[in-house]
Amino acid sequence: MDWKIQLFKLNYDEREVEAVARVVRSSWLTMGEQTKEFESRFAALLGQGAQATAVSSGTAALHMAMLALGVGPGDEVIVSSLTFIAAVNVVRLVGARAVLADCRSLEDWNIDPADVERKVAAKTRAVIAVHYAGYPCAMDEVEQVCARHRIALVEDSAHAIGATWRGRQCGTFGTVGCFSFFTNKNLSVGEGGMYVARDPEFTRRGRMLRSHGMSTLTLDRHEGRAISYDVLEPGLNYRIDELRAALGLVQLDRLTGANARRGLLVARYHEQIDRIPGVSIPFRRVPPDVKPCYHIYPVLLDRGIDRTKVIAGLRNQGIQSSIHYPAIQRFSAYADTALGATPIANDVSNRELTLPLYPGMADSDVDLVCDALKAALA
Ligand SMILES: *Cc1c(COP(=O)(O)O)cnc(C)c1O
């Protein structure tokens, strides 16, 4: 398909090309200086004494979080309902039961602490909260409900790279924060992620899980710091490689500027969408002490509008759009699972439409999308 405006475009130039070329020339492809530097600079961005462990994907980070917390058979984990399937899958794969918590309202699609409160059971071990579209959850209320019931908080910060709540970076509130650097995220490396913890014990566990539970790294042996290794506990191979870490470093330099550009585009969208009948905007009023990072641009179509027709209408005008997200209850793998009722999230799943957003988008592209949306609704 030859789109006039794609949903997303990479924010890359020759600097990314050069960063990868430098790694190739160095002949050191995994767990080296680039990875160390990426971790330390990502941790510095986060502050709060957070330590960052670079991994192969956001899903890997979520899986490691469940394993590090010791979540297993008989346990329950409460997950934001309007999200990508990864968090629910990892809960299931460690043998625990995922329970979905609804969105707070048709304006605030983040997890509803009151619904978490209703769904907490004796077996509940953790909450996985997503900062949908890069809009931070109300962290005071989420933290309170977790503290009251002595359950762990894991942040799925895949959308929230650089977003802050009351001056504090998303991903630094939970016991573990999980970031994704998948192609279409605010920081792109292709496949990659970050496991973040403030408690050194959780970092130690994360590092064991990342690399086979081994006591030393290949680099230590290469540099003569160790000749062999022990295996201290069972682990996986969830390592990132140097090429991706090098991409991550360049992308980290661009993050603040890219997020600011996204914010300007979102403001321009808001102004025009406000004037289109039949379309509303979630997270329309963000408190002044909350700084979203605008990962995607979601809108909500009024009841009775045929979304499939709107998507086709946009496509016919060369505009790519998407849906974030289909209801998890509808997926075949979860059709027979009691995930809990989430009427607001399911309503949003039926009516949500995601419009193109990426830092390289021109102001005039926003205008084109809005005009095309008006035409598609007519
Ligand atoms: C992208 C994403 C993930 C998974 O990250 P990967 O790096 O693709 O494994 C998890 N949760 C959310 C909300 C995401 O958007």
Side-chain angles (χ1 to χ4, degrees):
M1 198 55 211
D2 211 3
W3 298 107
K4 202 178 328 169
I5 303 177
Q6 291 171 217
L7 193 62
F8 170 77
K9 263 189 186 169
L10 274 178
N11 185 29
Y12 273 27
D13 67 17
E14 284 304 307
R15 275 191 287 167
E16 277 80 3
V17 175
E18 193 40 50
V20 170
R22 247 184 288 119
V23 172
V24 174
R25 286 188 209 107
S26 80
S27 315
W28 191 268
L29 296 185
T30 192
M31 297 303 285
E33 293 306 323
Q34 300 295 318
T35 301
K36 262 194 214 160
E37 174 80 8
F38 184 34
E39 290 175 338
S40 77
R41 286 200 26 221
F42 199 82
L45 165 79
L46 296 179
Q48 302 292 328
Q51 290 179 293
T53 299
V55 294
S56 53
S57 70
T59 306
L62 287 163
H63 189 202
M64 287 160 61
M66 292 300 99
L67 294 169
L69 285 164
V71 174
D75 294 335
E76 292 185 3
V77 177
I78 298 177
V79 184
S80 295
S81 44
L82 193 68
T83 190
F84 184 59
I85 194 62
V88 173
N89 277 344
V90 299
V91 170
R92 172 67 78 85
L93 285 170
V94 299
R97 174 170 175 246
V99 176
L100 299 178
D102 208 355
C103 303
R104 194 187 275 249
S105 68
L106 288 176
E107 290 76 42
D108 178 351
W109 299 355
N110 279 327
I111 196 165
D112 181 5
D115 201 41
V116 172
E117 186 80 58
R118 281 191 285 277
K119 288 170 178 170
V120 158
K123 302 168 185 168
T124 309
R125 294 287 315 281
V127 168
I128 304 178
V130 179
H131 306 290
Y132 180 92
Y135 294 97
C137 299
M139 291 316 298
D140 48 353
E141 296 175 56
V142 173
E143 282 186 321
Q144 275 162 24
V145 67
C146 290
R148 192 155 54 240
H149 297 281
R150 297 172 187 282
I151 52 183
L153 172 63
V154 172
E155 288 173 86
D156 181 341
S157 299
H159 293 190
I161 310 167
T164 60
W165 186 85
R166 295 190 185 163
R168 184 165 160 186
Q169 291 277 333
C170 288
T172 65
F173 293 89
T175 302
V176 180
C178 303
F179 291 87
S180 166
F181 308 134
F182 179 65
T183 308
N184 70 358
K185 299 298 176 2
N186 288 36
L187 189 160
S188 324
V189 307
E191 300 284 0
M194 200 68 85
Y195 165 105
V196 169
R198 284 164 296 136
D199 179 343
E201 172 57 14
F202 274 87
T203 295
R204 189 196 65 77
R205 280 188 219 166
R207 296 200 167 211
M208 285 286 118
L209 288 163
R210 174 175 66 174
S211 202
H212 310 288
M214 284 162 70
S215 59
T216 65
L217 301 174
T218 314
L219 188 64
D220 299 323
R221 295 190 292 282
H222 179 73
E223 295 188 341
R225 288 193 288 266
I227 53 168
S228 186
Y229 59 85
D230 189 14
V231 174
L232 304 172
E233 53 192 83
L236 297 147
N237 175 2
Y238 277 169
R239 296 184 299 257
I240 198 166
D241 62 38
E242 288 284 278
L243 301 122
R244 289 174 177 84
L247 288 172
L249 281 165
V250 181
Q251 287 276 292
L252 205 46
D253 282 337
R254 299 188 195 275
L255 183 69
T256 307
N259 285 350
R261 176 67 192 146
R262 285 170 181 273
L264 293 175
L265 292 163
V266 163
R268 194 176 182 94
Y269 260 130
H270 281 359
E271 231 177 77
Q272 297 183 51
I273 302 279
D274 277 343
R275 286 188 259 117
I276 303 181
V279 186
S280 61
I281 305 167
F283 303 100
R284 186 68 181 85
R285 268 166 290 278
V286 177
D289 55 358
V290 174
K291 294 272 170 285
C293 68
Y294 307 107
H295 168 53
I296 51 174
Y297 190 73
V299 297
L300 190 66
L301 303 178
D302 279 1
R303 287 190 189 90
I305 293 176
D306 183 344
R307 179 172 58 179
T308 311
K309 266 198 193 148
V310 175
I311 292 172
L314 288 170
R315 190 186 53 223
N316 293 340
Q317 300 172 82
I319 311 291
Q320 189 182 16
S321 62
S322 180
I323 296 167
H324 290 86
Y325 291 92
I328 290 169
Q329 290 95 336
R330 294 260 184 101
F331 291 133
S332 304
Y334 292 97
D336 301 329
T337 313
L339 292 167
T342 57
I344 300 172
N346 295 3
D347 187 22
V348 169
S349 288
N350 288 331
R351 302 196 279 129
E352 193 271 348
L353 179 70
T354 305
L355 299 175
L357 181 67
Y358 52 89
M361 220 176 152
D363 289 354
S364 57
D365 292 337
V366 171
D367 306 348
L368 271 174
V369 173
C370 293
D371 289 344
L373 179 60
K374 258 184 264 172
L377 286 162

